[in-house]
């Protein structure tokens, strides 16, 4: 673990869309959900580092760890990382212990985790299996409760900010999103209950809902490329959303600029959700 946080090379090189405003200077955060360089969580991690935060990662298994290793090498980073499958209680508690030892306290975490079986993301929703329903809920929704419970003791002294990523399929019927739409509806409701529960400790919980972005998870949804095409043709801003645009909203929610915002759902979707269709 490097003691001084390095700014990722790609940010120094491209400067992305924003320059640093040190919005997260002195803050420590955990990013949950980087699988590879296309992951929205990776863009969030880079934006948080750009803003001066010290970032630790969790990863799901050895294969993801190898991907992370490559990313860290490319960016000349040496951050803290710990294994975590969010469906395993023993890993949740050992991850909490390890992070407590590493950081003592943290200021924020990102929940960018979702999973449904391939066969549940297409076809008739009425054929959703009991098993597939439970799995999608466990990974994509219950995990926010489990992680909040683990990290609450690390945030309650100073307050903190939790952000989870959802999708419009939670409240509108999006073809092929099926069981994941129901899991996202539960995730959004979960965030509101957690916000109420943890508000007295000044721990805020919000949800960001991005438009479709090409990532590993998205590739499991039938006809995803058609979705992207349709989206950019009709969204008010006439473009697709980038992971970096989502990341900048997460930075805002982790920062003190959003200190009176909790239990909210913020769309980062070029205005798509406002359309009547
Ligand atoms: P991604 O595949 O890069 O990230 C999904 C992550 O979930 C991976 O890192 C994977 O390791 C992790 N994960 C899955 N099961 C897990 C488990 N049991 N334990 C621990 N981690 C587990 O895809 P992404 O698109 O960046 O997804 C991140 C979040 O953004 C998800 O919640 C997704 O639903 C949401 N989202 C994505 C889009 C999109 O179009 N890509 C749009 C809106 C919301």
């Amino acid at each position: 673990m490097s003691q001084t946080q390095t700014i990722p090379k790609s940010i120094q090189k491209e400067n992305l869309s924003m320059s640093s405003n040190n919005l997260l200077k002195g803050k420590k955060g955990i990013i949950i959900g980087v699988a590879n360089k296309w992951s929205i969580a990776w863009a969030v991690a880079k934006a948080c580092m750009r803003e001066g935060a010290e970032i630790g990662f969790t990863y799901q298994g050895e294969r993801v760890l190898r991907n992370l290793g490559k990313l860290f090498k490319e960016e000349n980073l040496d951050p803290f990382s710990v294994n975590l499958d969010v469906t395993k209680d023993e890993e949740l508690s050992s991850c909490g212990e390890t992070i407590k030892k590493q950081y003592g306290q943290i200021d924020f975490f990102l929940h960018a985790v979702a999973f449904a079986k391939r066969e549940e993301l297409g076809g008739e929703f009425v054929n959703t299996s009991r098993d597939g329903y439970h799995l999608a809920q466990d990974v994509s929704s219950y995990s926010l409760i489990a992680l909040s419970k683990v990290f609450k003791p690390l945030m309650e002294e100073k307050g903190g900010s939790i952000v989870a990523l959802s999708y419009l399929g939670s409240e509108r019927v999006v073809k092929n999103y099926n069981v994941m739409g129901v899991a996202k509806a539960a995730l959004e409701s979960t965030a509101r209950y957690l916000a109420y529960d943890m508000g007295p400790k000044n721990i805020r919980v919000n949800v960001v809902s991005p438009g479709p972005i090409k990532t590993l998870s998205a590739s499991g949804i039938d006809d995803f490329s058609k979705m992207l095409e349709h989206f950019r043709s009709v969204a008010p801003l006439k473009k697709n959303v980038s992971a970096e645009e989502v990341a900048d909203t997460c930075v805002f929610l982790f920062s003190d600029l959003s200190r009176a915002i909790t239990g909210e759902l913020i769309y980062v979707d070029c205005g798509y959700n406002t359309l009547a269709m």
Side-chain angles (χ1 to χ4, degrees), residues 33-35 39-41 60 64 84-87 112-115 139 165-167 177 184 210-213 215-218 224:
V34 180
S39 294
I40 300 172
Q60 185 198 10
V64 176
L84 175 64
D85 179 330
V86 296
T87 62
V113 174
F115 184 77
V139 178
L165 300 183
S166 189
Y167 178 59
Y177 203 57
K184 290 301 192 190
I213 298 173
T215 62
L216 185 65
S217 292
F224 190 76

Side-chain angles (χ1 to χ4, degrees), residues 69-104:
K70 281 185 217 152
L71 289 181
F72 294 158
K73 203 170 166 196
E74 276 168 30
E75 300 287 355
N76 205 15
L77 298 170
D78 182 22
F80 170 80
S81 59
V82 55
N83 184 52
L84 175 64
D85 179 330
V86 296
T87 62
K88 297 191 172 143
D89 285 334
E90 62 289 359
E91 288 190 16
L92 279 158
S93 64
S94 72
C95 166
E97 285 300 312
T98 313
I99 288 174
K100 189 177 176 191
K101 266 189 215 136
Q102 178 68 30
Y103 293 114

Side-chain angles (χ1 to χ4, degrees), residues 86-268:
V86 296
T87 62
K88 297 191 172 143
D89 285 334
E90 62 289 359
E91 288 190 16
L92 279 158
S93 64
S94 72
C95 166
E97 285 300 312
T98 313
I99 288 174
K100 189 177 176 191
K101 266 189 215 136
Q102 178 68 30
Y103 293 114
Q105 294 188 333
I106 62 166
D107 299 281
F108 63 86
F109 78 82
L110 175 76
H111 176 286
V113 174
F115 184 77
K117 291 182 192 174
R118 182 76 178 83
E119 62 268 28
E120 306 285 1
L121 297 172
E124 293 179 45
F125 177 66
V126 72
N127 292 329
T128 302
S129 68
R130 187 185 300 274
D131 188 39
Y133 186 95
H134 285 165
L135 181 65
Q137 288 284 343
D138 193 11
V139 178
S140 319
S141 166
Y142 179 75
S143 58
L144 182 64
I145 303 176
L147 286 161
S148 299
K149 191 174 177 188
V150 165
F151 291 129
K152 185 177 169 223
L154 279 64
M155 293 195 288
E156 58 192 356
E157 206 172 294
K158 289 193 299 173
S161 174
I162 300 169
V163 173
L165 300 183
S166 189
Y167 178 59
L168 186 62
S170 61
E171 52 185 291
R172 310 266 180 89
V173 175
V174 175
K175 194 167 176 255
N176 296 326
Y177 203 57
N178 294 6
V179 74
M180 190 53 80
V182 181
K184 290 301 192 190
L187 177 75
E188 290 171 15
S189 182
T190 294
R192 285 188 289 271
Y193 277 91
L194 287 171
Y196 178 75
D197 223 27
M198 301 203 285
K201 297 282 182 194
N202 196 26
I203 300 173
R204 299 181 291 111
V205 188
N206 291 291
V207 177
V208 170
S209 185
I213 298 173
K214 205 166 182 169
T215 62
L216 185 65
S217 292
S219 66
I221 300 165
D222 282 352
D223 291 337
F224 190 76
S225 301
K226 280 192 195 152
M227 252 170 97
L228 285 176
E229 212 179 289
H230 165 73
F231 185 93
R232 64 176 168 265
S233 70
V234 302
L237 295 180
K238 296 286 177 277
K239 61 171 196 157
N240 284 119
V241 179
S242 71
E244 287 72 25
E245 287 162 338
V246 177
D248 285 340
T249 301
C250 294
V251 163
F252 163 70
L253 288 171
F254 291 144
S255 81
D256 296 340
L257 291 178
S258 60
R259 61 196 175 280
I261 299 178
T262 194
E264 290 297 337
L265 172 64
I266 300 184
Y267 293 97
V268 183

